[in-house]
Amino acid sequence: MSSHMLIFLGPPGAGKGTQARAVSKELGVPHISTGDILREAGRKKTGLGLAAKTRMDKGDLVPDDVMCRIVEERLSELDCREGAILDGFPRTLGQAQFLDQLLQQREGDGALLLNLQLEPTQVIKRLTGRRVCSECGEIYNIYLNPPHQDGVCNKDGSELFQRPDDNEDAIRQRLLAYERETVPLIDYYRRKNALHDIDGNGEPEAITERLLNFLKRT
Ligand code: AMP
C-alpha cells in the first residue's frame, strides 16, 4: 500500500470509531475522529466546542467550513506526515471536495475509502448499547461487547458513559443527516469506483482482521 490515508465511511454506529482505533494501532498512523475533536472542545468549553455541542446533541451536522478548518489544521500536524485515518470526515459533498483538494496538495497522498456496511436494525443496537470510556475512549456495547464489569473500562478502570447523542431522538436525526448528506457522497465515490465496501457485521476483532487483510492485499 503506497499511502496510509484511510477514510472510514458508513452510517453512525457502523463501527467506524472502533475500527479506526484498531487499525491506527496496527499501522501506527494517527486516528482522527472529528466527533472526538468536537467532544473534546465541548469538554474544554471553547467557543467552537459550545457551538458544536448544541448541534451534536440534537444529531445535526456541524457546518462544513468549521469541519474543514478543523481537519486541515489537524492534518497539517507533524504526526500526519505519513498519513492518517479519518473517521467521521467527510460527511457531505462539500467536505469531500475540500478533502480532495487538500490531498492533491499533499504529495503522493492517495486516499483509500473504506465503506463499513451495516443494516439499520444493527445500527440502532450498536448506537443504543454504546458506552465509551471517559478516559481512554475505548468503545463498548452493553449488548454486543460488554465490559467485564458494568460501567467500568477493562483497560484502565475508568467510568464508562453514554454519549448524549445516543438517545432515540438524536439517533433518528443522525440517521436522517446520514441519508440526506452522506449517502450522496458515498454514491459519488461509488460512481468513481473509488469505494471499498467492507462488511461491518460481526465481532469487532473479526472486522479488524477483515480490514487488515483487505489493506494487505491493496
Ligand atoms: P461522530 O462521533 O462521528 O458520530 O460525530 C458526532 C457528531 O459530531 C455528529 O453527529 C455531528 O454533529 C458532529 N460531526 C462530526 N463530524 C462531523 C463532520 N465531518 N461534519 C459535520 N458534523 C460532524
Side-chain angles (χ1 to χ4, degrees), residues 124-131 140-143 162 166:
I124 302 284
K125 210 169 182 181
R126 294 252 182 109
L127 291 172
T128 50
R130 171 160 59 188
R131 300 292 184 273
Y140 298 87
N141 187 292
I142 54 171
Y143 311 119
Q162 186 169 24
D166 279 343

Side-chain angles (χ1 to χ4, degrees), residues 34-35 38-39 56 60-62 67 88-89 91 95 163:
T34 45
L38 294 173
R39 278 183 289 276
M56 289 170 79
D60 291 333
L61 294 185
V62 173
M67 298 315 302
F89 187 97
R91 255 181 164 97
Q95 293 177 15
R163 276 172 44 171

Side-chain angles (χ1 to χ4, degrees), residues 84-192:
I85 300 177
L86 284 179
D87 151 24
F89 187 97
R91 255 181 164 97
T92 66
L93 273 171
Q95 293 177 15
Q97 282 157 2
F98 178 84
L99 185 64
D100 277 353
Q101 284 173 5
L102 204 64
L103 293 182
Q104 271 170 24
Q105 291 160 15
R106 289 172 63 106
E107 238 168 85
D109 253 358
L112 206 53
L113 294 140
L114 305 167
N115 184 35
L116 272 180
Q117 296 185 302
L118 198 68
E119 293 119 48
T121 48
Q122 286 300 311
V123 160
I124 302 284
K125 210 169 182 181
R126 294 252 182 109
L127 291 172
T128 50
R130 171 160 59 188
R131 300 292 184 273
V132 186
C133 175
S134 49
E135 276 306 311
C136 72
E138 187 73 10
I139 303 166
Y140 298 87
N141 187 292
I142 54 171
Y143 311 119
L144 306 164
N145 175 34
H148 301 321
Q149 196 188 334
D150 263 5
V152 179
C153 179
N154 295 348
K155 304 239 151 119
D156 60 17
S158 300
E159 205 183 331
L160 304 184
F161 76 99
Q162 186 169 24
R163 276 172 44 171
D165 59 347
D166 279 343
N167 67 69
E168 211 181 303
D169 284 348
I171 288 173
R172 197 174 313 117
Q173 196 59 22
R174 287 158 68 201
L175 293 176
L176 264 178
Y178 175 73
E179 288 298 328
R180 276 194 207 129
E181 306 283 347
T182 311
V183 167
L185 112 88
I186 289 184
D187 292 343
Y188 161 79
Y189 284 135
R190 195 180 293 291
R191 281 197 300 275
K192 281 184 25 174

